[in-house]
Amino acid sequence: MMRLKPILTAIACVGMVPLAACNDQAAETGAAEAEAVSNETLAANITGLEGHSTLAGAITNTGLSTLLDGTSDYTILAPDDAAFAKLGDAGKTLMENDQKAVMVAVLRDHLIPGELTVDAIRTAIADKGGPVTMRTMGSNSVTFSQEGETIMVKGSDGSGATIIEPAITAANGSLIKVNSVLVKSGPNG
């Protein structure tokens, strides 16, 4: 059974469809996704997630693991190793110690306050009749849209990714795998 938590803290943009209501609606209609459920924190899940060692290292190196080991709920849009590799030399530069502040900013734009599920995102898009925008923990926002069964996420800088399902529901939020890093250009511009 899918674990649902209130996600009112995730509603940060004016005019956005209330995703908490969508979560309740999904529970009432019996809608569920093939989501993995874990009693571990987001940080622990990322560390143990196959194909996400680059993200795990970045979270540890930037100190964000403390945040993701805490009790507050977050949704992390988790790029896999192949997503970081797509950045090429810019991705390698981003992982260097002198780029730690830039990496923190990139990762914060992959974090959304509150717990979201892929099903709640789908329902919100359907209820609104189009894309749904959410604020990130950074100074930007992400917009979710759907084409067929595929859900895309677009960063405020124009970068984009596709959600890879299933998501993982952790003890303090959810981890939604994506196939690209939401950064339009490398760390030096």
Side-chain angles (χ1 to χ4, degrees), residues 2-91:
M2 188 167 86
R3 190 186 87 211
L4 298 175
K5 290 182 181 180
I7 58 171
L8 293 175
T9 56
I11 301 170
C13 290
V14 177
M16 195 190 94
V17 174
L19 291 178
C22 297
N23 234 354
D24 294 340
Q25 179 183 6
E28 289 171 14
T29 61
E33 57 189 14
E35 194 171 80
V37 177
S38 170
N39 292 326
E40 295 182 338
T41 65
L42 285 168
N45 273 282
I46 293 165
T47 299
L49 188 60
E50 185 176 332
H52 287 74
S53 61
T54 306
L55 177 63
I59 287 172
T60 299
N61 291 341
T62 59
L64 287 175
S65 57
T66 303
L67 176 74
L68 298 177
D69 263 335
T71 57
S72 296
D73 286 347
Y74 296 97
T75 297
I76 184 163
L77 302 173
D80 59 14
D81 293 337
F84 279 98
K86 282 192 238 179
L87 295 176
D89 288 339

Side-chain angles (χ1 to χ4, degrees), residues 131-166:
V132 175
T133 300
M134 304 280 307
R135 288 209 189 275
T136 66
M137 293 296 293
S139 58
N140 295 304
S141 61
V142 292
T143 301
F144 296 100
S145 61
Q146 186 170 351
E147 286 183 23
E149 291 299 308
T150 303
I151 297 178
M152 286 81 57
V153 59
K154 188 173 187 177
S156 57
D157 66 356
S159 59
T162 300
I163 290 179
I164 304 168
E165 295 185 63

Side-chain angles (χ1 to χ4, degrees), residues 33 35 116-123 151 163 165-167 176:
E33 57 189 14
E35 194 171 80
L116 299 174
T117 64
V118 176
D119 192 48
I121 294 167
R122 269 196 181 91
T123 302
I151 297 178
I163 290 179
E165 295 185 63
I176 298 176

Side-chain angles (χ1 to χ4, degrees), residues 73-117:
D73 286 347
Y74 296 97
T75 297
I76 184 163
L77 302 173
D80 59 14
D81 293 337
F84 279 98
K86 282 192 238 179
L87 295 176
D89 288 339
K92 291 175 188 171
T93 301
L94 190 58
M95 298 302 290
E96 294 174 4
N97 277 336
D98 65 343
Q99 295 295 315
K100 194 179 289 190
V102 176
M103 179 59 92
V104 168
V106 168
L107 293 175
R108 287 177 60 85
D109 281 336
H110 286 75
L111 284 170
I112 301 168
E115 180 181 21
L116 299 174
T117 64

